């Protein structure tokens, strides 16, 4: 005899990936966000679902530490979809890392497009350093360790932007472009990018990061200084980087 069997909830399609399948019991992770989120609203019966799902998983993996990715199954969590005015799927919505409103992302579902879109909008707490403002940078928030990135890029790398927000109020971040020859000589930098923490301002002593430039490895490196009390000597001033200094350093 025929029985009307109600369909149960579907499986987590994003288990063991860098995409968090959002439900009512974990939605606070999106609401309390400190990073940009891209959320994929879907139904498993959408045309091309498996292909789009794979693309989202791949993009999330490549963007790890910089952007967060979530997914909402509008079949199982219709209320969440209604809250964000999602009445048709598939749809990707961008959630900023500031107090701004979310908005629909209408570009192609591919890494370069989404990454460029997010990088342009993310918050940035990195100061561009040159020989004229170096001393001011070092004396600002002197209680913190200062992190320097020597880079050949003309814009701040998104990974460095993300780290500057992760360690807001714990570390000070600066970037030095390849054209700043005097600063590059002062710190004996011979390759780009080079990441370092200044451990002694008076003698320009540094701890240089030597591992692969990936989010997790950099975090492990920076954690040594982010929550460590800095040894300060109030009688020592930051060594001024001026022409006399360069002469004394033989530069």
């Amino acid at each position: 005899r025929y029985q009307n069997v109600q369909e149960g909830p579907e499986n987590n399609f994003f288990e063991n990936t860098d995409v968090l399948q959002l439900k009512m019991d974990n939605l606070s992770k999106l609401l309390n966000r400190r990073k940009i989120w891209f959320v994929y609203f879907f139904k498993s019966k959408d045309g091309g679902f498996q292909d789009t799902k794979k693309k989202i998983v791949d993009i999330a993996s490549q963007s790890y530490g910089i952007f967060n990715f979530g997914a909402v199954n509008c079949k199982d969590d219709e209320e969440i979809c209604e809250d964000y005015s999602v009445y048709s799927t598939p749809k990707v919505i961008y959630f900023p890392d500031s107090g701004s409103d979310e908005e629909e992302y209408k570009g192609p579902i591919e890494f370069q497009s989404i990454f460029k879109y997010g990088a342009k909008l993310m918050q940035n707490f990195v100061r561009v350093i040159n020989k004229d403002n170096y001393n001011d940078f070092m004396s600002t928030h002197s209680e913190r360790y200062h992190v320097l990135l020597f880079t050949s890029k003309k814009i701040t790398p998104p990974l460095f932007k993300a780290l500057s927000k992760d360690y807001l109020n714990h570390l000070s971040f600066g970037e030095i472009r390849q054209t700043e020859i005097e600063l590059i000589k002062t710190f004996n930098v011979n390759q780009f990018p080079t990441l370092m923490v200044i451990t002694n301002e008076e003698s320009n002593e540094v701890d240089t990061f030597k591992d692969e430039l990936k989010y997790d490895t950099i975090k492990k490196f920076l954690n040594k200084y982010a929550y460590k009390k800095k040894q300060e000597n109030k009688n020592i001033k930051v060594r001024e980087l001026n022409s006399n200094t360069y002469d004394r350093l033989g530069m």
Side-chain angles (χ1 to χ4, degrees), residues 203-224:
S203 58
N204 294 329
E205 292 178 25
V206 302
D207 183 5
T208 302
F209 178 75
K210 295 183 171 65
D211 211 332
E212 186 178 0
L213 284 165
K214 294 176 63 176
Y215 181 75
D216 284 342
T217 53
I218 296 175
K219 288 271 288 187
K220 185 176 180 181
F221 171 72
L222 294 179
N223 281 343
K224 294 186 296 182

Side-chain angles (χ1 to χ4, degrees), residues 16-236:
N16 300 320
T17 73
D18 293 313
V19 180
L20 176 65
Q21 187 152 325
L22 294 164
K23 305 181 79 64
M24 279 299 183
D25 60 2
N26 66 4
L27 194 60
S28 61
K29 293 186 178 182
L30 173 64
L31 300 177
N32 300 327
R33 63 188 175 275
R34 287 179 53 84
K35 291 184 185 292
I36 284 173
W37 281 71
F38 289 94
V39 179
Y40 169 49
F41 292 82
F42 71 94
K43 289 180 181 176
S44 61
K45 294 182 179 179
D46 290 335
F49 167 68
Q50 291 296 337
D51 182 54
T52 304
K53 170 194 161 186
K54 184 180 184 304
K55 288 181 180 179
I56 293 290
V57 169
D58 289 344
I59 295 168
S61 177
Q62 293 181 75
S63 305
Y64 177 73
I66 301 174
F67 310 126
N68 286 340
F69 281 76
V72 177
N73 186 342
C74 290
K75 174 184 174 296
D76 289 347
D77 294 283
E78 187 176 353
E79 185 177 349
I80 299 176
C81 296
E82 289 180 354
D83 285 346
Y84 292 107
S85 300
V86 176
Y87 301 111
S88 64
T89 57
K91 186 171 290 187
V92 175
I93 294 183
Y94 153 81
F95 292 81
D97 55 350
S98 60
S100 305
D101 293 334
E102 67 273 6
E103 60 185 50
E104 182 180 355
Y105 167 76
K106 296 182 179 179
I109 307 299
E110 56 94 16
F111 173 72
Q112 290 295 340
S113 180
I114 287 181
F115 196 84
K116 184 177 180 180
Y117 182 92
K120 184 177 180 180
L121 296 169
M122 68 192 301
Q123 291 181 302
N124 183 10
F125 300 95
V126 181
R127 185 172 176 183
V128 177
I129 307 302
N130 54 47
K131 66 176 183 178
D132 296 322
N133 67 10
Y134 173 83
N135 294 317
D136 180 63
F137 170 67
M138 292 303 303
S139 60
T140 302
H141 300 301
S142 59
E143 75 283 0
R144 304 178 193 168
Y145 283 96
H146 290 68
V147 183
L148 288 178
L149 175 70
F150 290 80
T151 176
S152 59
K153 305 291 185 183
K154 294 182 180 179
I155 58 173
T156 306
L159 176 57
F160 206 50
K161 287 183 184 180
L163 290 164
S164 76
K165 184 163 187 180
D166 287 349
Y167 291 102
L168 191 63
N169 302 323
H170 294 285
L171 296 169
S172 292
F173 285 75
E175 64 177 318
I176 297 175
R177 305 280 165 78
Q178 197 172 6
T179 52
E180 292 296 321
I181 304 301
E182 293 172 341
L183 287 173
I184 289 168
K185 288 182 177 179
T186 298
F187 291 100
N188 298 314
V189 173
N190 52 34
Q191 66 179 24
F192 302 89
T194 291
L195 179 69
M196 62 178 61
V197 173
I198 299 179
T199 56
N200 188 311
E201 293 93 337
E202 171 66 10
S203 58
N204 294 329
E205 292 178 25
V206 302
D207 183 5
T208 302
F209 178 75
K210 295 183 171 65
D211 211 332
E212 186 178 0
L213 284 165
K214 294 176 63 176
Y215 181 75
D216 284 342
T217 53
I218 296 175
K219 288 271 288 187
K220 185 176 180 181
F221 171 72
L222 294 179
N223 281 343
K224 294 186 296 182
Y225 299 100
Y227 309 105
K228 173 182 175 183
K229 184 172 175 57
K230 187 177 176 184
Q231 298 297 319
E232 287 191 272
N233 185 337
K234 297 186 182 298
N235 296 319
I236 294 178

